[in-house]
Amino acid sequence: KNQVEQSPQSLIILEGKNCTLQCNYTVSPFSNLRWYKQDTGRGPVSLTIMTFSENTKSNGRYTATLDADTKQSSLHITASQLSDSASYICVVIQYGNKLVFGAGTILRVKS
Amino acid sequence: KAGVTQTPRYLIKTRGQQVTLSCSPISGHRSVSWYQQTPGQGLQFLFEYFSETQRNKGNFPGRFSGRQFSNSRSEMNVSTLELGDSALYLCASSEQGISSGNTIYFGEGSWLTVV
């Protein structure tokens, strides 16, 4: 069954600290993997897109990694800010235009 | 460049009614896709349209339908509304489509409440 599992479900960190969010998937055939940030009540915003051959992709303080062999991805946030408080969603896209969404990790950054 | 625009932003409907949601993609984008987001099920893919043709469909009943016009604008229709259809409906657009590797840009969504 095609699934995307994210961990942890929720996370609270202090401003300025780093954190890493995990995404494990069983989706096949794999086309690409995307991380999105979704603020409460808003539409998701794209952070990174990675294809099979890419191991790392950065977008400012966000760095995503992909291990296609173990079917794992991570999103690392450096020097967190209050504005990083949001839901982070991992999405895996299959060939054939099918998307499989993770349930998301809710991140709260405290001052 | 204007982003993805969805209307209306909020609406309340009664069970059994139908609803039509509208989406204007980013200029030049030919792919429009629709998603449902609920607290229980998270984000789920409804369907994708590309150049007026439905390219893919998620696992939703036939009550959920859509179409795309020649100017790439899209509408989504839900007939015979059920309480469980209460959700945030998101529209997204991209230049070449979901699996092309292009960035997918989301609108702010339409909040539908069915009472």
Side-chain angles (χ1 to χ4, degrees), chain A residues 34 38 42-43 96-97 99 101, chain B residues 37 56 98-99 102 107-108:
Chain A
R34 300 165 185 245
Q38 185 176 23
R42 309 292 297 275
N97 298 335
L99 297 89
F101 290 91
Chain B
Q37 188 172 32
N56 196 19
I98 291 169
S99 61
N102 292 160
E108 298 289 58

